[in-house]
Amino acid sequence: MPEGDTVLQAARRLHAALAGRVLIRAELRVPRLATADLRGRAVREVVPRGKHLLARIEGGLTLHSHLRMDGAWRVHAAGERPRGGPAHQIRAILGNAEATAVGYRLPVLDLLRTEREARVVGHLGPDLLGPDWDPAEALARLLADPARPVGTALLDQRNLAGVGNVFMAELCFLARVTPWLPVGEVADPAALIAEAKRLLEANRDRLDRTTTAPGLDRRQRLHVYGRAGRPCPACGTPVRVAGETHGERGRERPVYWCPSCQRGPARSGGTTPGK
């Protein structure tokens, strides 16, 4: 599931493969961009901004993509067969003499003037893994609506950019609050933000995301996320899960929590598999 750490890693791979090289193949397979021709232009750099990817291209252009839940960029050697999914899921191909980057299932793909990037990322809060990180600004944004559930506030990229559903669940567990506790009732919201920074920094170079301790078995790398029905690592109570509809395209996301360790309201209908 793409979050700030995953997107940063994707940007690094794309930058290594494309930056400083001239495009000899460029296909944007969305109707409104089908006639755009980027061949002959060099890619200047590929940078992340929260969960967004910005490929800046010679001539003042930026190819903007967002992975959301299912999108992915795959990089392979020039001439190698793409291996990230069926051809009908390909939305973008950027290739040079050495490498080819293929974007699959990209729900967001825009081509805009670099000077207008703020139109697509200007609303974002401070980036937890970016050069603009400002904990005081992130704290002010997070607490702007004290009655808002802390989980929702953490997921709102306008507050701080980079937290997704996995980190949200883990952060709430570490703070010992349920995701539905009003953010204004969190005992130490500054510590919550500092923990978010620590977790994303710790995972920026890891292939296997972990919020517990490095080197553990895959099933033990997260405290509550994906552990519905399994014992809480702190108290042994079965972890619960509830479905919650997210505003972005109305998609339902699973929300995990420990009913014993985490204080605050719980989502009605939350279940423990097998019960």
Side-chain angles (χ1 to χ4, degrees), residues 13 27 36 38 48 56 64 90 103 162 169 171 199 211 218 221 262:
R13 290 192 298 271
E27 300 175 23
L38 300 175
R56 293 169 180 152
H64 162 241
I90 295 175
L171 285 165
L199 287 183
T211 60
R218 182 181 295 272
R221 289 176 181 162
Q262 294 173 249

Side-chain angles (χ1 to χ4, degrees), residues 20-211:
R21 300 182 176 93
V22 174
L23 294 172
I24 59 175
R25 186 179 182 187
E27 300 175 23
L28 305 180
R29 298 181 181 180
V30 295
R32 56 193 174 77
L33 299 178
T35 60
D37 189 359
L38 300 175
R39 291 173 299 175
R41 298 174 186 259
V43 176
R44 292 173 44 227
E45 61 181 348
V46 182
V47 299
R49 180 72 174 88
K51 297 183 185 182
H52 299 251
L53 285 164
L54 303 170
R56 293 169 180 152
I57 300 169
E58 185 179 36
L61 297 175
T62 293
L63 184 66
H64 162 241
S65 59
H66 193 298
L67 306 180
R68 285 194 178 149
M69 297 290 288
D70 305 314
W73 280 96
R74 298 284 185 262
V75 175
H76 54 81
E80 185 180 343
R81 184 176 180 178
R83 55 187 182 279
H88 72 267
Q89 294 183 348
I90 295 175
R91 297 294 176 265
I93 301 175
L94 300 176
N96 53 50
E98 292 80 27
T100 303
V102 183
Y104 291 88
R105 302 172 299 278
L106 300 175
V108 176
L109 190 66
D110 299 309
L111 185 64
L112 63 153
R113 302 295 302 178
T114 300
E115 64 191 24
R116 299 190 66 191
E117 285 179 0
R119 183 169 61 86
V120 293
V121 295
H123 65 288
L124 298 175
D127 188 340
L128 283 154
L129 294 177
D132 69 315
W133 175 243
D134 183 340
E137 175 65 17
L139 179 62
R141 291 184 179 221
L142 193 73
L143 296 178
D145 183 356
R148 197 177 194 190
V150 60
T152 304
L154 285 169
L155 289 171
D156 190 337
Q157 302 300 294
R158 296 170 297 182
N159 293 335
L160 60 165
V163 172
N165 207 38
V166 178
F167 283 120
M168 181 276 286
E170 296 295 287
L171 285 165
C172 287
F173 175 81
L174 291 169
R176 297 297 189 260
V177 298
T178 70
W180 301 279
L181 183 76
V183 67
E185 296 181 25
V186 174
D188 192 346
L192 180 66
I193 288 176
E195 187 69 7
K197 174 70 169 173
R198 184 189 71 80
L199 287 183
L200 267 78
E201 288 280 3
N203 283 280
R204 64 186 300 161
D205 299 318
R206 289 176 180 159
L207 295 179
D208 291 306
R209 181 183 293 141
T210 179
T211 60

